Amino acid sequence: MTAFEIAKQAVKILDSKKAEEIKMIKIADISVLADYFVIATGTSSTHVNSLADEVEFKLEELGIQVRHKEGYHSNSWILLDYGNVVVHVFTPESRSFYDLDRLWRDGENIDISEFLK
């Protein structure tokens, strides 16, 4: 599965669990960290955990293993690293504070409207 397909699946999974402000940013041309960032917001720390758990579970069902994960103890920002795709799930306060949307504004925002229900 390509990095784009993994990112697309993550977007669909997050949408199915009612994540808010989902964004896919292509960063391949400006960073060696990954090809795509998927950023989403949960309504509470519990929702953030359930969103991250669902992404990890559903992608694992597709044979895609998370390489590294961070933030399960903080409950405000969980990062799932899939190599070429990094999924960030935030509480509203943490998303505003860390403002990855602004930090990675030089990346290409991918239109995900066709992936959403």
Side-chain angles (χ1 to χ4, degrees):
M1 196 174 270
T2 68
F4 177 77
E5 291 167 333
I6 294 168
K8 177 178 151 182
Q9 287 301 319
V11 166
K12 288 180 171 185
I13 295 162
L14 289 163
D15 183 51
S16 75
K17 296 301 264 180
K18 309 280 191 244
E20 298 178 349
E21 300 180 62
I22 305 169
K23 198 176 227 184
M24 184 193 306
I25 305 171
K26 182 179 179 185
I27 63 166
D29 298 333
I30 60 171
S31 176
V32 296
L33 292 175
D35 290 342
Y36 293 92
F37 275 176
V38 175
I39 304 171
T41 303
T43 56
S44 66
S45 58
T46 303
H47 191 212
V48 166
N49 277 327
S50 69
L51 289 169
D53 287 347
E54 188 72 2
V55 169
E56 186 176 0
F57 176 74
K58 292 289 187 182
L59 288 180
E60 192 171 301
E61 282 187 333
L62 295 172
I64 303 158
Q65 301 292 319
V66 67
R67 292 182 180 185
H68 186 76
K69 51 188 168 182
E70 294 275 340
Y72 271 96
H73 298 296
S74 76
N75 295 328
S76 63
W77 177 10
I78 296 176
L79 177 147
L80 301 171
D81 182 354
Y82 289 94
N84 289 336
V85 176
V86 179
V87 178
H88 302 269
V89 185
F90 292 98
T91 60
E93 300 80 19
S94 290
R95 183 160 183 176
S96 176
F97 180 79
Y98 292 106
D99 203 3
L100 292 187
D101 305 81
R102 182 186 59 77
L103 289 173
W104 293 96
R105 69 178 173 258
D106 292 338
E108 178 187 347
N109 282 308
I110 305 299
D111 179 8
I112 60 169
S113 59
E114 66 184 73
F115 311 146
L116 306 177
K117 288 183 183 178

